[in-house]
Amino acid sequence: MNRKRATGILTLQIAILILFLGGWELGARYGLINTFLFSSPSNIVTILIAQFHRGTLMLNVQVTAYETLVGYLVGAIGGSALGLLLWFSRFVADLTKPFIAALGSIPVLAVAPMLIIWFGTGFRSKVVVAAFSCIVVALINAYQGTEKVDKDQLELFRSFRATKFQTFRKLIIPASTPWLMVSLKLNVGFALVGAIVGEFISANAGVGHMIVVAGASFEIGEVLAGIVLVMLMVLVFNMVIALIDRILKHRHFT
């Protein structure tokens, strides 16, 4: 994407966001929108500022971000590693395929209460739920990446009598990198959803806990403030992943 087109798209995105927020705010101020049900952008900003001054905003963000990050590292990185390792044995890959598919079909909301019973109500259970949310997607994407490696390149490595480990290190991992990066980007949201779901069920801090408490008292503004925090956290995590992707591409082409 050239710079001019990227700038145009960014400008249009900002304009759409301003129009949406402006229309929402005007509708709330002139009584066209029920503020009890939908709140308003200015009220959400006021709530976030008040929470920041009380110290609860940073506490909630730090708790959820830490749970998400650790769960993401365990689930996304661990799942990607397992998916890559399946390349070594087609038999094991075919044997485990239906079990992996079955595991991936389980909604995190259904399994989260059981995981919290097993691992307790503290930090560890939220990490496990976050990891569970993204491990299968990471595993499947990584294995599909190994399956898409160019067959001619594989034959070239075989003709030079490269060992399986040499082929894996020099060809399979680099060729699977685009699939791995797509998986890492997708799993940011999945890991955060897992951490939030864990906090919904049992927590005394975190953005998920904040949303549940606000919802129980019908404070829609605070619920929406929590949703805004979740979106901002995903945005920051995705920016970090995009930066890592650019660094890897730069090293690959230099």
Side-chain angles (χ1 to χ4, degrees), residues 29-200:
R29 292 197 177 206
Y30 289 99
L32 301 175
I33 293 176
N34 188 331
T35 54
F36 177 76
L37 295 177
F38 300 102
S39 189
S40 67
S42 60
N43 184 46
I44 293 169
V45 171
T46 301
I47 289 169
L48 290 173
I49 292 172
Q51 289 187 353
F52 177 78
H53 288 306
R54 290 199 304 267
T56 55
L57 186 145
M58 293 308 299
L59 172 64
N60 289 329
V61 169
Q62 286 171 2
V63 168
T64 302
Y66 191 40
E67 293 166 350
T68 302
L69 180 60
V70 178
Y72 177 78
L73 292 175
V74 173
I77 307 300
S80 296
L82 289 173
L84 290 172
L85 290 173
L86 284 177
W87 173 81
F88 281 99
S89 175
R90 176 63 67 89
F91 173 76
V92 174
D94 291 340
L95 181 68
T96 57
K97 192 173 293 183
F99 302 108
I100 293 170
L103 189 65
S105 68
I106 302 173
V108 65
L109 194 58
V111 77
M114 182 174 64
L115 294 176
I116 287 173
I117 291 171
W118 287 352
F119 295 97
T121 58
F123 168 77
R124 185 171 55 176
S125 62
K126 313 306 185 301
V127 169
V128 173
V129 176
F132 179 84
S133 300
C134 56
I135 190 168
V136 175
V137 174
L139 191 155
I140 291 173
N141 266 36
Y143 181 66
Q144 285 181 339
T146 67
E147 290 285 279
K148 300 297 181 181
V149 175
D150 189 275
K151 303 302 179 186
D152 292 335
Q153 289 184 324
L154 279 171
E155 286 300 323
L156 180 63
F157 270 71
R158 291 192 187 104
S159 68
F160 282 105
R161 296 184 179 180
T163 65
K164 201 147 190 177
F165 179 75
Q166 287 173 329
T167 304
F168 179 74
R169 187 167 61 90
K170 297 287 188 178
L171 176 61
I172 300 301
I173 293 178
S176 302
T177 299
W179 289 79
L180 296 176
M181 295 312 302
V182 169
S183 173
L184 291 177
K185 290 174 184 177
L186 283 173
N187 279 313
V188 167
F190 292 147
L192 184 55
V193 167
I196 295 291
V197 167
E199 291 174 354
F200 278 176

